[in-house]
Amino acid sequence: CPQVQRALLALTIPLEKLQAVKGRMLQAMHKGLSRQTHAEADVRMLPTYICSTPDGTEKGDFLVVELCQSHVRTLWVAFLGDGNQNPQEMYKIFDMPEDIKKGKGEALFDFIAQCVKQFLAGIGSPQNPLPLGFVFPFGCKQTQLDKAQLISWSKGFNYSDVQGKDIVGLLQSAIKKQELYHVNVVALVNDTAGTMMSCSMGGKPCEIALIADKGTNSCFMAEARQVEMVDENSGQMCVNTEWGYFGDDGTLSDILTPYDQHVDDESSNPGQKRFEKLVGSLYLGEIVRHVLITLAAEKAVFAGNNVVILQTKGVLKTQQILEILNNEEGVAAVRRTLEPLGLQPSERDCCRVQQVCRVVVSRAAALCATGLAAILSHMCQSRQMDRLLVNVAVDGDMYRGYTRFTEILQSVVGLLSPECMATFVPAGDGTGQGAAMVTAVALRVATKRREVNQLLAPLRLSRADLERVQVLMRREMDLGLSPDTNADASVRMLPTYVFATPDGTERGHFLGLDLGGTNFRVLVVRVTDDGIHMASEIYVIPTAIMQGTGEALFDHIIECIVDFKKKQNMMTKTLPLGFTFSFPCQQLGLDKAVLLSWTKGFSASGCVGQDVVQMLREAAQRKQHSGLDVVALVNDTVGTMMACGHDDPKCEIGLIVGTGTNACYMEERRNVGTVEGDQGRICINMEWGAFGDNGCLDEFFTDFDRVVDEKTINPGKQRFEKLISGMYLGEIVRQILLALVEKRLLFHGKPCPKLQTKDIFKTKFLSSIECDGLGLQQVRTILEDLELQATSEDSALVREVCQTVSLRAAQLCAAGLAAVVEKMRQNRGLAELSVTVGVDGTLYKMHPHFSKELQKMLEYLAPNCNVTFLLSEDGSGKGAALVAAVASRGTNSQPLLPQ
């Protein structure tokens, strides 16, 4: 029959069109998640403030109140902490009087509170504090788990005095009227989130829920950083999509049929909830009715019958439609449905009615699957996964009432999102137990949050703390500059005998050496009119040499120099050489420096107290290499300042935040009591890594810092460095993670053997874990490489620990730098100082937030200083050569060495 074929074709959506609908749903979801476009989004993507799924440790008694279509259900649930295998429960249903349905909102909430009172009296509940979860199946704008404003009523409810008000507050007030002071509303939950949580109780958490009932909705665990309507940027958050409104902006117009338009026109909310009216069981019987009206008018069905009854809204129920589809004797089921309406369908009519019912319900299932496919693909992309495996909780009379519903879901999802594997979990008591579980999880998370905050509190510095650190740094700087107190100062303030920065007239070829860690570098720097050109080679220093004898170390350095010069065809040339030596030295001249102590894992014997340049020259003699002209020894901080000074004349500070940390700056010579002369300026190598070695920072050291310090090769030394630098941050994090595991706040308290290994948690992991846009799944992958089996909740906590440790490091660095720039400003008698900091180091360069947090705190602590940060391009190498270049400028400019 052409008429029937035309109707069936109009109701059949091809795969290509479903793919396009999925794309539109994804766009609508992104619009709802964005702060800029949320207000006009039809898919509202409402945050629920449910941030965790069950972990099996939930325990205690919980009360649930569920507002249903015609009744209120009260439920008492006891979780035993046994993995939620055997929750105990009692419930009672209270029919809602007609006058309550038509009255005011206050009467509704008073009735709900009365139901609670009667229920508790009936079960003999003691007066112990009893947390309550409220299942409220209407669209709300939640601002907390226990605070939500009603957006709009649906499902026949309409209390004008409730819209825009706090639902939880209304219920709590009504409960207080009943003198139930021990009952506290902890969570407001919609039925979709309740379904997801109830299906998460069997040990395999569900992260998506799909409701296919009179209405339709979905929710899923989104990456919190993508939910822009909340300020949370770590962990996950359940988002209530409210996808029933999808298409209200006209995006579904190309799949809407005249039958759908008739149903919409006759509804109580024309033009709204267009997706729900294609999918919800409240409307499917109506769609079938309008198809049959059209076919009857075209004489394709019910010939000779009086079909006026079909003009009556509601004569065909969706339940009848499902019975027709599920019954093996479909013709008989059609007759049982139509004959009471006065229709006498032929066998051909019955077959055609069956066909119409099947295509209408299949379309609904396919559209549900399309929406689900959009969610799955969004989750897979946002978590940066190649393949997503996830459990989906499903509930509703469409799901329960149509045997092929799941089959269609799986088939269409598989075609539209082949990168995702969804396992469907049927809901039991979806809303009741689910709401109890939301409440239980909320209390567990709140308790855990208090314990985590208590443990991390000593690492979270207030602005007053940082101002105190700034004052202490300034005091130690002054002590270090004075000849009378220098020996007692933890900040040594060592003169470098660098009296000038580059002025642009430097020309020539220079050698640079860079020793500051496990790698040693040799380079040649050519300063020409065209700029600076470099060639370099990196050489590894084995641990055995780092911790062997001084002679072996410097012999190895000479061997590397010779190898480099051979490769560069420079064996016959003797070039001025600048040596970056990034260890604490007392400099007696530009080319004379006595090593004060080793750091960064070096402990070569026979070096401390010796002139480093002389040791290098003696090694050259032993190796019979005569082409060595060492004109300057500087540390990496000074080299960084000099390298950046070549690009920016205002660069008068050098900062290193890498494996170690240090700073230098141009001080007025009149303030430096440890050198002669009071004209001009001199670069001071602060050696601020030792700040606090005299105990002045003890109040800021935590137990974690002390454990890390005790296990280093120099306990009690370089205390400031051990709070800031890359060599130690990973180890601080590891100690905190161990403490969290011990308190059963992380990894379920299970032993983590690999985490017991010193230095197993690298500082580079902090940079990776804190990276913007990195999903929790990627954090889990990093932890899995350490043999740590982490949940999403664990991953969020590990990220929080990393953020806490790195933020403290950045803020402490800012406090130290604030002391420096404020001193420079005061030295020069300026109301405002403009200065550039040349900065280097992997932590500063590679960590995603360190530099931003440092600069932010510096602005607060030194508001009268305009500080620009300039990243050094090879400061330790190029900078050393530039020191040699400036030293070789001759009489054309101020020399680096005092005359």
Side-chain angles (χ1 to χ4, degrees):
C1 177
Q3 297 91 334
V4 174
Q5 287 181 352
R6 187 165 56 247
L8 297 179
L9 188 61
L11 289 160
T12 302
I13 306 176
L15 184 62
E16 295 80 9
K17 184 67 72 176
L18 290 175
Q19 192 73 260
V21 172
K22 173 195 166 185
R24 295 172 207 164
M25 176 70 87
L26 275 168
Q27 290 177 349
M29 288 168 62
H30 292 150
K31 194 173 181 180
L33 287 170
S34 168
R35 191 184 298 271
Q36 286 75 28
T37 55
H38 175 81
E40 65 254 24
D42 51 353
V43 178
R44 301 182 183 184
M45 305 298 282
L46 302 173
T48 66
Y49 293 84
I50 296 170
C51 299
S52 182
T53 50
D55 69 359
T57 64
E58 291 77 18
K59 192 174 183 179
D61 296 345
F62 301 92
L63 185 62
V64 173
V65 176
E66 181 179 358
L67 179 59
C68 303
Q69 191 80 25
S70 58
H71 62 268
V72 169
R73 187 169 78 125
T74 54
L75 179 73
W76 171 85
V77 180
F79 296 115
L80 307 177
D82 61 352
N84 304 318
Q85 297 300 312
N86 301 293
Q88 301 173 0
E89 65 176 68
M90 294 182 283
Y91 73 92
K92 186 173 181 179
I93 292 174
F94 298 85
D95 290 328
M96 194 183 302
E98 287 299 320
D99 61 327
I100 296 293
K101 292 182 182 179
K102 297 175 182 177
K104 291 191 173 183
E106 184 179 359
L108 171 67
F109 287 98
D110 284 344
F111 173 70
I112 294 171
Q114 290 164 11
C115 296
V116 172
K117 186 171 185 177
Q118 289 182 42
F119 176 64
L120 293 178
I123 65 174
S125 171
Q127 294 294 302
N128 298 330
L130 193 57
L132 181 148
F134 184 24
V135 180
F136 190 73
F138 304 98
C140 288
K141 179 183 178 181
Q142 280 190 261
T143 52
Q144 296 176 26
L145 189 60
D146 62 350
K147 190 175 286 291
Q149 289 182 343
L150 175 66
I151 295 174
S152 61
W153 291 107
S154 59
K155 305 172 188 176
F157 282 74
N158 190 13
Y159 299 89
S160 59
D161 59 334
V162 176
Q163 206 156 319
K165 293 184 178 178
D166 177 19
I167 299 301
V168 173
L170 292 173
L171 179 58
Q172 191 71 66
S173 298
I175 287 172
K176 284 184 179 178
K177 285 186 196 176
Q178 300 298 321
E179 299 182 348
L180 298 173
Y181 300 112
H182 64 299
V183 176
N184 183 37
V185 185
V186 170
L188 182 135
V189 188
N190 76 353
D191 51 352
T192 319
T195 296
M196 184 185 76
M197 294 296 275
S198 71
C199 292
S200 297
M201 289 166 48
K204 292 184 177 180
C206 287
E207 295 187 86
I208 304 175
L210 168 64
I211 300 292
D213 201 73
K214 291 180 177 61
T216 183
N217 197 13
S218 62
C219 69
F220 68 99
M221 294 302 289
E223 301 291 302
R225 60 190 162 77
Q226 294 193 327
V227 187
E228 295 181 11
M229 295 304 295
V230 298
D231 293 327
E232 184 64 45
N233 59 11
S234 182
Q236 294 182 321
M237 179 171 290
C238 177
V239 169
N240 168 24
T241 67
E242 288 292 341
W243 74 7
Y245 293 92
F246 176 45
D248 286 7
D249 60 354
T251 53
L252 295 179
S253 58
D254 58 341
I255 65 168
L256 295 177
T257 67
Y259 322 117
D260 302 312
Q261 193 59 53
H262 288 310
V263 171
D264 180 58
D265 291 341
E266 294 176 357
S267 70
S268 61
N269 55 348
Q272 296 180 14
K273 294 208 164 186
R274 301 309 299 265
F275 188 66
E276 182 166 282
K277 289 170 184 172
L278 300 175
V279 170
S281 65
L282 192 63
Y283 305 98
L284 299 189
E286 287 297 286
I287 297 172
V288 170
R289 182 175 68 87
H290 277 286
V291 175
L292 296 182
I293 289 172
T294 301
L295 292 177
E298 295 173 342
K299 311 285 188 204
V301 292
F302 310 139
N305 282 254
N306 183 352
V307 294
V308 68
I309 187 66
L310 292 178
Q311 299 293 338
T312 305
K313 183 180 177 182
V315 296
L316 285 181
K317 309 294 185 189
T318 298
Q319 186 57 41
Q320 295 170 312
I321 304 300
L322 298 179
E323 287 174 3
I324 289 172
L325 293 178
N326 290 330
N327 200 312
E328 291 182 5
E329 299 176 355
V331 172
V334 173
R335 285 203 169 99
R336 283 197 299 273
T337 298
L338 298 181
E339 286 176 354
L341 302 180
L343 297 172
Q344 298 298 319
S346 66
E347 186 166 339
R348 186 181 65 180
D349 290 337
C350 291
C351 291
R352 289 177 176 176
V353 170
Q354 262 191 307
Q355 285 181 300
V356 170
C357 292
R358 184 174 295 111
V359 76
V360 168
V361 175
S362 296
R363 182 184 69 159
L367 285 170
C368 268
T370 302
L372 179 59
I375 290 175
L376 289 165
S377 291
H378 172 84
M379 291 175 69
C380 191
Q381 292 163 12
S382 65
R383 298 180 184 187
Q384 300 173 345
M385 300 175 69
D386 295 327
R387 187 163 179 78
L388 174 71
L389 304 176
V390 68
N391 294 329
V392 180
V394 193
D395 200 5
D397 53 18
M398 284 290 294
Y399 172 74
R400 292 189 300 269
Y402 183 37
T403 54
R404 290 196 62 234
F405 191 90
T406 305
E407 181 184 330
I408 295 172
L409 271 183
Q410 289 175 324
S411 173
V412 175
V413 165
L415 291 170
L416 296 181
S417 296
E419 76 280 14
C420 304
M421 177 68 72
T423 301
F424 294 94
V425 181
D429 180 6
T431 51
Q433 281 192 2
M437 182 52 69
V438 170
T439 308
V441 169
L443 293 181
R444 171 179 64 78
V445 169
T447 300
K448 178 178 177 179
R449 172 47 46 200
R450 285 192 296 272
E451 294 184 48
V452 168
N453 284 345
Q454 185 177 6
L455 187 138
L456 294 179
L459 293 122
R460 289 172 169 156
L461 302 179
S462 67
R463 289 189 167 183
D465 291 331
L466 294 163
E467 288 168 348
R468 169 78 176 144
V469 172
Q470 179 182 356
V471 168
L472 290 170
M473 176 66 87
R474 174 59 185 271
R475 188 188 74 183
E476 292 296 305
M477 290 170 68
D478 290 339
L479 291 173
L481 289 172
S482 170
D484 300 326
T485 54
N486 174 269
D488 300 322
S490 62
V491 181
R492 299 297 300 275
M493 304 297 284
L494 303 172
T496 64
Y497 293 86
V498 173
F499 293 87
T501 51
D503 66 3
T505 64
E506 299 80 17
R507 296 291 183 272
H509 294 187
F510 308 92
L511 273 180
L513 308 183
D514 177 16
L515 177 63
T518 54
N519 291 334
F520 169 67
R521 196 158 53 110
V522 187
L523 63 163
V524 60
V525 178
R526 300 175 177 90
V527 186
T528 69
D529 293 339
D530 298 332
I532 294 179
H533 309 277
M534 295 187 298
S536 64
E537 185 93 15
I538 294 175
Y539 299 90
V540 174
I541 299 184
T543 303
I545 290 179
M546 288 169 58
Q547 299 174 0
T549 67
E551 283 193 3
L553 173 62
F554 282 92
D555 284 353
H556 180 71
I557 291 171
I558 293 296
E559 289 168 3
C560 296
I561 294 171
V562 170
D563 177 75
F564 176 78
K565 291 181 74 174
K566 285 180 179 177
K567 290 178 179 177
Q568 295 292 324
N569 296 317
M570 293 167 45
M571 285 300 291
T572 60
K573 296 180 181 178
T574 300
L575 300 180
L577 184 148
F579 186 8
T580 299
F581 188 74
S582 305
F583 302 92
C585 290
Q586 181 180 0
Q587 211 142 354
L588 305 176
L590 191 58
D591 64 346
K592 186 175 181 64
V594 175
L595 177 64
L596 297 176
S597 63
W598 284 117
T599 57
K600 307 173 189 176
F602 279 73
S603 59
S605 62
C607 296
V608 174
Q610 299 299 311
D611 179 359
V612 175
V613 175
Q614 186 58 32
M615 293 184 74
L616 183 65
R617 287 169 175 158
E618 290 171 357
Q621 290 176 356
R622 284 194 299 274
K623 292 293 181 178
Q624 298 181 348
H625 179 62
S626 58
L628 199 67
D629 179 20
V630 184
V631 299
L633 182 137
V634 295
N635 72 0
D636 53 350
T637 322
V638 179
T640 294
M641 182 187 75
M642 296 294 280
C644 291
H646 185 268
D647 300 319
D648 182 352
K650 290 201 301 183
C651 183
E652 296 186 86
I653 301 174
L655 173 66
I656 299 291
V657 193
T659 307
T661 183
N662 194 15
C664 70
Y665 72 103
M666 296 302 291
E667 176 62 86
E668 308 302 311
R669 281 183 69 181
R670 66 178 183 272
N671 294 333
V672 185
T674 52
V675 295
E676 294 181 1
D678 58 6
Q679 295 300 309
R681 294 171 183 153
I682 182 171
C683 179
I684 295 294
N685 167 24
M686 295 177 65
E687 289 297 340
W688 78 2
F691 177 38
D693 286 6
N694 58 0
C696 67
L697 289 181
D698 283 359
E699 62 187 288
F700 302 107
F701 282 89
T702 68
D703 291 339
F704 310 115
D705 301 314
R706 293 185 186 95
V707 171
V708 170
D709 177 51
E710 289 165 2
K711 294 183 178 179
T712 60
I713 61 172
N714 57 345
K717 304 292 185 185
Q718 298 294 111
R719 301 295 300 276
F720 192 57
E721 182 167 273
K722 289 171 184 173
L723 300 177
I724 290 178
S725 73
M727 192 169 198
Y728 305 100
L729 297 191
E731 190 62 6
I732 296 171
V733 168
R734 186 180 73 87
Q735 293 297 332
I736 298 170
L737 299 185
L738 287 172
L740 289 169
V741 172
E742 185 179 349
K743 291 179 178 290
R744 303 187 65 80
L745 299 172
L746 187 65
F747 308 136
H748 298 295
K750 295 177 182 176
C752 305
K754 201 161 185 178
L755 199 57
Q756 300 287 341
T757 307
K758 185 176 182 291
D759 295 326
I760 195 71
F761 201 96
K762 307 294 184 186
T763 297
K764 68 179 181 180
F765 295 160
L766 278 72
S767 296
S768 299
I769 288 171
E770 294 182 57
C771 184
D772 289 332
L774 187 74
L776 290 181
Q777 183 60 42
Q778 275 60 49
V779 179
R780 289 172 71 173
T781 301
I782 292 170
L783 296 175
E784 283 169 4
D785 290 342
L786 297 174
E787 299 175 11
L788 301 171
Q789 299 304 310
T791 63
S792 294
E793 199 173 323
D794 290 331
S795 301
L797 181 51
V798 170
R799 176 183 278 167
E800 182 182 356
V801 171
C802 293
Q803 289 169 336
T804 301
V805 170
S806 60
L807 176 62
R808 182 185 67 157
Q811 291 180 335
L812 284 170
C813 194
L817 201 54
V820 173
V821 295
E822 273 297 304
K823 186 176 193 316
M824 293 175 69
R825 184 183 68 81
Q826 293 167 13
N827 284 346
R828 301 176 188 187
L830 299 174
E832 183 171 315
L833 171 73
S834 291
V835 68
T836 297
V837 178
V839 60
D840 203 351
T842 52
L843 184 59
Y844 185 93
K845 286 184 172 180
M846 304 304 293
H847 190 280
H849 303 295
F850 190 96
S851 60
K852 179 179 67 178
E853 294 296 342
L854 187 160
Q855 293 170 32
K856 178 180 171 183
M857 184 52 63
L858 180 61
E859 286 177 12
Y860 170 79
L861 295 172
N864 296 319
C865 299
N866 178 20
V867 183
T868 302
F869 287 81
L870 181 60
L871 281 178
S872 170
E873 296 296 333
D874 190 21
S876 53
K878 182 172 78 172
L882 280 169
V883 173
V886 175
S888 304
R889 283 195 311 220
T891 59
N892 293 327
S893 61
Q894 181 186 5
L896 279 168
L897 287 170
Q899 298 300 306

